[in-house]
């Protein structure tokens, strides 16, 4: 059986265990904001089959690298005695020695985490630690941690800056951004590809098969499941319809002159809103489950709704309800847009792109009346509402796909923290494919809706991660 060992190394309290949790899709080790929380080398199976296994090692963090180098240079009985003494007298130093012991005896490749929020010039610890790692003569891949949400242009500059600053270290065989809190699965694909280039030739075949199986489970199948979940919700919303009780002539006349709904229509709309809120929450919970994350958008809805109502008691309760159901964490930056009438359709505005159908709803265009052959009048969502909902699901997917398990429980981000690049990319795609999307929702064939959702998501990911475009492009591009 072929065994491939990948070791996470770096300065103490630098996010190694956080990244390990994200890559392993489970809670391992202890995450705390203090040094030397991980004090022994901790190995976890990433994937295993009949031919081999990939082990991810979460190593103790480096401390005083200058003293560590001196300790490692001591050999023989004296070195062994000093190391044993360190275990009891200087545990942080002993932890660092255990890190090096794993790197020398077990690792095939070392993933060295760097705090990229610091400049290469000010990170003296990095050079000292790389000098120590050079002693074990194993390939090293730099991972730029604590970069925040990915930004291709910024990340390219960061990577090049670090490569230039550390160009005299020949052990460095690659570098890429990898924030344990906010990475996307596309970046994981890039990481595993980079690892493949530095492994011993005799382990290449087994590794490629192991990682392909892992990615099929944790990337491809999860994306497929996510698309099916979103398509189901969109189709159900497109089919929402509530019968309107018989309206009196007086109510109809009043509604005509006041541009307000009749009491009977308001009653029908309330039912639709309640259904939409429940579906939105259930869909988000299903997406979180698919990504093996805990948390839900409703965690902060009540308090946020209360805060907004306090600031603006005149906001229609129906609008507040739908905002709470769709995106509680995004209310703060949206209220002014609603009251000013500045929101646009099709994801053209930042808030509208995130909140979906509430754009059309807030402007009184979120619903339509349809008279059936039996003479019964029913209320359903308008095409504008459904288009905005489609855009919103793209945003919700990106929010979850970029959340690392090491961060803990998922909570919906505030609108100010959501990259405009996401919104712009989705809006541009929707502008070019709006007719196709509307047709897919009208026919409500799951395969057609899923196909268009997948095309949108892959298009956006390819724009966000151009260096990984070949990996994220779909096999079929029909409908483009």
């Amino acid at each position: 059986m072929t065994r491939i060992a990948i070791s996470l190394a770096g300065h103490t309290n630098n996010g190694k265990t956080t990244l390990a949790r994200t890559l392993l899709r489970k809670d391992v080790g202890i995450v705390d904001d203090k040094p030397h929380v991980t004090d022994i080398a901790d190995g976890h199976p990433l994937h295993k089959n009949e031919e081999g296994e990939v082990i991810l090692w979460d190593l103790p963090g480096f401390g005083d690298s200058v003293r560590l180098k001196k300790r490692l240079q001591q050999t023989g009985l004296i070195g062994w005695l000093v190391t044993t003494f360190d275990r009891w007298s200087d545990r942080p130093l002993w932890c660092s020695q255990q890190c090096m012991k794993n790197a020398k005896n077990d690792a095939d490749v070392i993933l060295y985490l760097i705090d990229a929020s610091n400049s290469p010039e000010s990170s003296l610890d990095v050079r000292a630690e790389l000098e120590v790692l050079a002693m074990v003569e194993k390939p090293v891949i730099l991972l730029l941690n604590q970069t925040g949400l990915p930004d291709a242009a910024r990340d390219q500059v960061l990577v090049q800056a670090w490569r230039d600053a550390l160009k005299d270290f020949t052990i460095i065989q690659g570098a890429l951004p990898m924030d344990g809190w906010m990475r996307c699965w596309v970046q994981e694909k890039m990481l595993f590809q980079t690892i493949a280039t530095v492994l011993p030739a005799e382990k290449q075949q087994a590794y490629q098969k192991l990682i392909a199986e892992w990615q099929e489970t944790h990337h491809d199948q999860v994306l497929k499941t996510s698309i099916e979940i979103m398509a189901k919700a969109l189709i159900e919303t497109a089919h929402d319809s509530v019968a309107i009780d018989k309206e009196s002539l007086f109510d109809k006349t009043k509604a005509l002159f006041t541009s307000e709904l009749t009491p009977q229509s308001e009653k029908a709309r309330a039912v639709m809103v309640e259904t939409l809120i429940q579906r939105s929450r259930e869909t988000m919970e299903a997406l979180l489950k698919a990504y093996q994350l805990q948390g839900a958008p409703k965690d902060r809805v009540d308090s946020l709704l209360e805060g907004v109502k306090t600031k603006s008691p005149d906001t229609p309760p129906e609008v507040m309800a739908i905002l709470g159901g769709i995106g509680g964490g995004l209310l703060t930056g949206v209220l002014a847009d609603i009251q000013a009438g500045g929101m646009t359709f099709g994801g053209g505005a930042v808030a509208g792109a995130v909140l979906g159908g509430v754009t059309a709803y807030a402007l009184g265009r979120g619903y339509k009346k349809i008279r059936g052959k039996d003479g019964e009048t029913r209320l359903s969502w308008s095409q504008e509402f459904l288009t905005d909902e489609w855009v919103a699901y793209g945003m919700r997917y990106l929010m979850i796909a970029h959340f690392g398990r090491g961060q803990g429980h998922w909570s919906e981000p505030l609108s100010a923290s959501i990259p405009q690049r996401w919104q712009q990319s989705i809006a541009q795609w929707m502008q070019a494919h709006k007719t196709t999307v509307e047709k897919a929702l009208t026919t409500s064939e799951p395969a057609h809706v899923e196909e268009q959702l997948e095309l949108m998501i892959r298009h956006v990911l390819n724009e966000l991660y151009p260096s990984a475009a070949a990996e994220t492009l779909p096999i079929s591009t029909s409908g483009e």
Side-chain angles (χ1 to χ4, degrees), residues 89-107:
S89 65
D90 194 339
R91 191 162 182 83
L93 183 60
W94 180 81
C95 290
S96 299
Q97 294 173 67
Q98 301 315 297
C99 170
M100 291 301 298
K101 181 179 179 181
N102 172 277
K104 180 176 177 58
N105 297 335
D106 297 299

Side-chain angles (χ1 to χ4, degrees), residues 1-209:
M1 176 179 285
T2 303
R3 187 171 181 272
I4 298 103
I6 302 170
S7 295
L8 288 170
H11 200 71
T12 183
N13 197 32
N14 224 18
K16 296 180 296 298
T17 302
T18 296
L19 180 57
R21 287 184 172 190
T22 296
L23 293 174
L24 292 165
R25 306 299 198 266
K26 63 181 179 181
D27 294 340
V28 297
I30 301 173
V31 174
D32 200 356
D33 188 18
K34 60 183 181 181
H36 299 294
V37 175
T38 302
D39 57 2
I40 60 171
D42 200 3
H44 306 278
L46 183 72
H47 188 64
K48 184 177 181 179
N49 63 22
E50 68 281 358
E51 297 180 13
E53 63 179 342
V54 178
I55 302 294
L56 183 67
W57 286 92
D58 180 16
L59 304 185
F62 289 118
D64 188 339
S65 300
V66 175
R67 283 201 302 145
L68 174 61
K69 185 176 180 179
K70 291 180 179 179
R71 280 285 189 271
L72 295 174
Q73 288 173 335
Q74 294 173 326
T75 58
L77 180 61
I78 294 178
W80 180 82
L81 288 172
V82 170
T83 300
T84 303
F85 180 70
D86 286 339
R87 180 170 188 171
W88 310 110
S89 65
D90 194 339
R91 191 162 182 83
L93 183 60
W94 180 81
C95 290
S96 299
Q97 294 173 67
Q98 301 315 297
C99 170
M100 291 301 298
K101 181 179 179 181
N102 172 277
K104 180 176 177 58
N105 297 335
D106 297 299
D108 289 298
V109 58
I110 298 169
L111 306 181
Y112 178 70
L113 271 69
I114 292 175
D115 182 353
S117 63
N118 298 323
S119 68
E121 295 75 20
S122 64
S123 303
L124 301 179
D125 286 335
V126 171
R127 295 193 67 85
E129 290 162 8
L130 285 172
E131 288 175 359
V132 171
L133 287 174
M135 297 173 65
V136 303
E137 300 180 334
K138 298 290 180 69
V140 172
I141 297 173
L142 302 181
L143 297 185
L144 275 57
N145 192 26
Q146 301 184 33
T147 57
L149 282 168
D151 181 299
R154 178 208 63 198
D155 292 343
Q156 184 177 9
V157 173
L158 275 175
V159 168
Q160 191 59 52
W162 280 98
R163 290 299 299 264
D164 290 343
L166 303 173
K167 60 184 177 182
D168 49 323
F169 289 97
T170 58
I171 58 171
I172 298 176
Q173 300 295 303
L176 62 158
M178 181 62 67
D179 192 306
W181 279 47
M182 299 178 180
R183 99 290 165 255
C184 182
W185 58 268
V186 178
Q187 292 176 292
E188 294 176 352
K189 281 182 174 286
M190 298 166 66
L191 171 60
F192 290 129
Q193 288 173 359
T194 304
I195 291 173
T197 65
V198 301
L199 288 176
E202 64 272 15
K203 296 189 176 185
Q204 286 281 345
Q205 184 175 350
Y207 173 80
Q208 294 287 3
K209 185 175 181 180

Side-chain angles (χ1 to χ4, degrees), residues 4 18 45 49-50 133 144 153 199 211 228 270 276 315 327 350 361 374 390 392 402 404 458 460 466-468:
I4 298 103
T18 296
N49 63 22
E50 68 281 358
L133 287 174
L144 275 57
L199 288 176
I211 291 303
E228 290 172 351
L276 183 70
T315 302
V350 171
Y361 186 97
D374 57 0
W390 184 291
H402 283 84
R458 292 186 183 276
V460 173
S467 59

Side-chain angles (χ1 to χ4, degrees), residues 416-454:
S417 66
I418 298 173
Q420 290 190 11
R421 178 80 182 278
W422 292 5
Q423 300 150 4
Q424 293 167 353
S425 182
I426 292 177
Q428 289 169 1
W429 185 91
M430 176 57 77
Q431 186 176 7
H433 298 80
K434 186 175 180 181
T435 302
T436 307
V437 167
E438 291 177 350
K439 181 179 179 181
L441 287 173
T442 300
T443 59
S444 294
E445 287 288 338
H448 294 163
V449 176
E450 291 169 11
E451 178 186 42
Q452 292 305 310
L453 277 171
E454 182 176 3

Side-chain angles (χ1 to χ4, degrees), residues 362-428:
L363 295 177
R365 303 180 189 176
Y367 50 87
K368 60 184 179 182
K369 289 184 178 180
I370 302 175
R371 183 176 294 276
K373 294 181 180 180
D374 57 0
E376 184 181 56
T377 303
R378 305 185 69 85
L379 199 67
S380 61
W381 299 115
S382 70
Q383 191 64 62
E384 292 166 315
F385 182 97
L386 295 173
T387 298
D388 280 350
E389 271 291 276
W390 184 291
V391 170
Y393 270 112
M395 292 297 297
R396 295 168 199 162
Y397 171 80
L398 291 176
M399 291 177 194
I400 292 176
H402 283 84
F403 188 90
R405 186 183 179 90
Q407 193 174 157
H409 280 225
W410 184 89
S411 61
E412 195 162 327
L414 294 174
S415 57
S417 66
I418 298 173
Q420 290 190 11
R421 178 80 182 278
W422 292 5
Q423 300 150 4
Q424 293 167 353
S425 182
I426 292 177
Q428 289 169 1

Side-chain angles (χ1 to χ4, degrees), residues 246-260:
K246 185 175 179 58
E247 299 167 309
S248 68
L249 179 60
F250 173 78
D251 288 335
K252 290 180 179 179
T253 304
K254 181 181 177 182
L256 179 64
F257 283 98
T258 61
S259 299
E260 296 177 353

